[in-house]
Amino acid sequence: MNINAPKGLVDPAGASRRIRLATYPPSPSLAAFVDYFWVVEWDMRDRPPEVQRVLPYPNAHLVFDAGRSAIHGVVRGAFERQVEGAGKVLGVRFKPGGLRPFIDHPLSRIVDTTMPLDALLKCDAAEAESRVLSQNSDAGMIAVAGEMLVSAAPVPDPRALLAAQAVAAAAADNGPVSVGALCDAMELDERFLQRLFSNYVGVSPKWVIQRFRLQEAVWRLSHGGAVDLAALAGALGFFDQAHFTRNFTKLVGSSPLDYWKSQRAAK
């Protein structure tokens, strides 16, 4: 059964006409580690190539993609992929901290980079890719990938669960807008929280808090009507509208106002 597609696409209005994105919940045996499976499918054979821009969350992913399957650590900037021809990709989005029990080193080591599939699945990477991508349906791909993950699944790690809870607290509506506030919400020492995030999430608590605030801004600007940018900046914890605009523009590639106008024009 599909669940709602996640936030993160910079051009959701345009992408929905060209790319199919579906997400599916994990089986109970993987629920301690996996947020969801995702499938992206496209057919651009009658169109010129285009670049799809995504604003990643603090999650690692296992991606089955012909010729480039890999484990992806958290990406701190925007992730861009040229979409051309026709294709289909299966991904596994791990919960924050959910990948760490599968591998033998901190998640901070794979931020902005990838590692081979066999580091997680304990099997030949090319064979795993072929088995998954040769399936004719989303359900078939998910079943094969899920079986591999279940076979490799470790014992759940209590600190991975704590990391996931801390990230969820940072993501909450009207949640903390500073590391100190997140420490208070979690009743954790700041040095402990910093070490926990480095080991299990890969990025700092400050990065996570700001990314969720910017993701929320993108979502509101792409899905809402009239918007008060100064009020939005204040609600999301930025010092002022100028601070919000600088951070938004650096990540998204356009100012909040220009982005809002582009999304209204695309609908």
Side-chain angles (χ1 to χ4, degrees), residues 3-6 20-25 34-42 54 59-65 70 72 79 81 88-94 138 141-142:
I3 57 177
N4 292 333
R20 181 176 72 90
L21 171 62
T23 57
Y24 303 89
V34 173
D35 257 351
Y36 52 75
F37 291 84
W38 53 266
V39 175
V40 175
E41 185 173 22
W42 66 94
V54 178
N59 301 78
H61 293 254
L62 168 62
V63 179
F64 295 92
D65 185 4
H72 292 251
F79 175 79
R81 166 76 182 266
K88 191 173 185 179
V89 174
L90 172 69
V92 181
R93 177 168 126 155
F94 290 95
D138 292 5
M141 292 196 302
I142 291 166

Side-chain angles (χ1 to χ4, degrees), residues 178-194:
S178 69
V179 176
L182 179 58
C183 289
D184 291 342
M186 293 297 299
E187 298 183 348
L188 295 174
D189 174 77
E190 183 170 336
R191 291 183 62 186
F192 176 85
L193 188 71
Q194 297 282 3

Side-chain angles (χ1 to χ4, degrees), residues 209-225:
I209 291 167
Q210 186 173 86
R211 176 53 55 91
F212 279 122
R213 304 285 80 81
L214 289 170
Q215 290 277 16
E216 182 63 22
V218 168
W219 180 259
R220 293 191 192 184
L221 292 172
S222 63
H223 288 78

